[in-house]
Amino acid sequence: MAPDENHPLLLQIPAPSPKPSPLQRLKKFLGFSKRYNFIQWIFMFCLMFIVMMNGLNFIGNLSIRFAPGEWYWFRQPFYKFGIILHLATILPCGFLAVFQFVPAIRYKYISLHRLNGFMVYTLLGLGIVGALMLTRRAMGGAPSTQVALIIIASLSATSACLAWYSIRFRRRIDLHRRWNIRTAFYAGSAITERIFLNGLAPILATQSEKQYFVWTCDELQFLIGNGTEVLLRYPSCIQFSVAPVPASLSSAEGVGTALRIAFSASTLLGIAFHAVLAEVYLQATWSESERLEQVSKAKELARVRAATIPSNPPDHAM
């Protein structure tokens, strides 16, 4: 006789829970409790992996990876060292920084979190030094370009120092989190800047009213490779050591001019966009900051109590 499906004992048997998917198991392994935080981390991990792989390919092909005319300066030992120092430190810095946001590492392996944080801060500092070594010649070295690069370097360095100071001396986890998030957004603006650059440069190159950038004749000679052709295109090189080059898409130096003119604006747009985005994100996750502030205060209160209460109180005479 077949069992009755409506029998009370059978109704009490719980249905088997569905088997978790690989992403769900990864989410649990990494310690994420909220789905959107896990999605953000996956996006950040994939983005930094792509950037690091592209950067490693860049290091292997330096002479053909720069904008037209830049290699004339960057092949020199001082600037070449700055390039290698910047790429060899900032790429692993960005990749290691991703793991600072893994909850399982922060809560279960705090020593590893601190060691990784020390490495991230050190690599970031060295990467900024390498970038500043290039500012004099990066994208033509115009004053506006130098200022834009100094701004992004200063914002990244300052926010990283404040993040370290907040946790090291003030013991404020909430402030440490806020400044670290700002550091990540400021440093990441270099990626968005390239997107703006690729959009602005063609617009400048195709305008009816041409825009010019002054090149040295040595740069043009190095890029074009034919001294006679340089003098034909830019007669001012006969009497002077510089020549105005119009932005265009019909020549390598024209493309270089468009990139040089658009670079400072693209960098400042990237910084502004990421600065606003950082504050929007912090406001959207303000409850997490408040929670961490309470945790910091509770830990500080526990430390004060532990310091004021003697571990072995003296025996009182009866």
Side-chain angles (χ1 to χ4, degrees), residues 138-156:
M139 288 294 182
S144 58
T145 296
Q146 296 184 48
V147 169
L149 292 175
I150 290 173
I151 288 175
I152 187 175
S154 301
L155 286 174
S156 301

Side-chain angles (χ1 to χ4, degrees), residues 188-239:
S189 64
I191 301 173
T192 308
E193 168 264 319
R194 294 291 171 174
I195 299 175
F196 286 125
L197 181 62
N198 291 332
L200 286 176
I203 296 175
L204 293 174
T206 55
Q207 285 183 334
S208 57
E209 184 178 347
K210 291 294 184 182
Q211 299 197 39
Y212 292 79
F213 193 93
V214 177
W215 289 54
T216 67
C217 294
D218 290 337
E219 287 179 293
L220 293 171
Q221 168 69 34
F222 176 80
L223 181 62
I224 297 174
N226 188 323
T228 304
E229 184 68 22
V230 171
L231 296 178
L232 289 174
R233 294 189 196 178
Y234 308 101
S236 59
C237 286
I238 298 175
Q239 294 182 332

Side-chain angles (χ1 to χ4, degrees), residues 4 20 37 82 101 146 180 185 190 203 214 242 248 251 256 261 270 276 281 291:
D4 185 4
N37 284 337
F101 297 93
Q146 296 184 48
N180 270 333
F185 273 98
I203 296 175
V214 177
V242 296
S248 69
S251 64
I261 296 174
V276 172
Y281 180 81
R291 184 187 71 82

Side-chain angles (χ1 to χ4, degrees), residues 32-185:
F32 288 99
S33 58
K34 298 178 181 178
R35 185 179 180 183
Y36 73 90
N37 284 337
F38 176 64
I39 294 174
Q40 290 172 353
W41 187 87
I42 289 292
F43 172 78
M44 187 166 55
F45 177 86
C46 294
L47 177 63
M48 292 313 304
F49 181 80
I50 294 172
V51 169
M52 189 173 70
M53 291 298 102
N54 185 61
L56 293 176
N57 187 39
F58 191 101
I59 294 176
N61 302 275
L62 286 178
S63 61
I64 62 174
R65 288 290 182 171
F66 287 102
E70 277 195 306
W71 186 241
Y72 171 78
W73 300 105
F74 289 165
R75 62 186 175 139
Q76 299 177 11
F78 175 80
Y79 297 112
K80 194 172 184 179
F81 175 77
I83 295 165
I84 296 174
L85 175 63
H86 176 67
L87 294 177
T89 53
I90 209 66
L91 292 175
C93 169
F95 189 70
L96 291 176
V98 174
F99 295 95
Q100 289 298 94
F101 297 93
V102 176
I105 296 178
R106 294 203 309 268
Y107 299 138
K108 296 181 181 179
Y109 306 99
I110 186 64
S111 297
L112 179 60
H113 177 73
R114 291 171 179 169
L115 176 62
N116 191 53
F118 173 79
M119 294 174 62
V120 168
Y121 287 144
T122 302
L123 291 171
L124 177 63
L126 293 174
I128 290 174
V129 170
L132 291 175
M133 292 174 65
L134 309 176
T135 54
R136 178 63 185 87
R137 299 298 180 185
M139 288 294 182
S144 58
T145 296
Q146 296 184 48
V147 169
L149 292 175
I150 290 173
I151 288 175
I152 187 175
S154 301
L155 286 174
S156 301
T158 302
S159 55
C161 289
L162 289 173
W164 175 78
Y165 176 81
S166 297
I167 196 65
R168 179 67 178 82
F169 295 101
R170 300 188 63 185
R171 301 179 186 276
R172 290 285 300 274
I173 304 174
D174 56 316
L175 296 180
H176 179 66
R177 170 184 176 270
R178 289 182 213 170
W179 285 113
N180 270 333
I181 288 175
R182 291 188 178 106
T183 302
F185 273 98

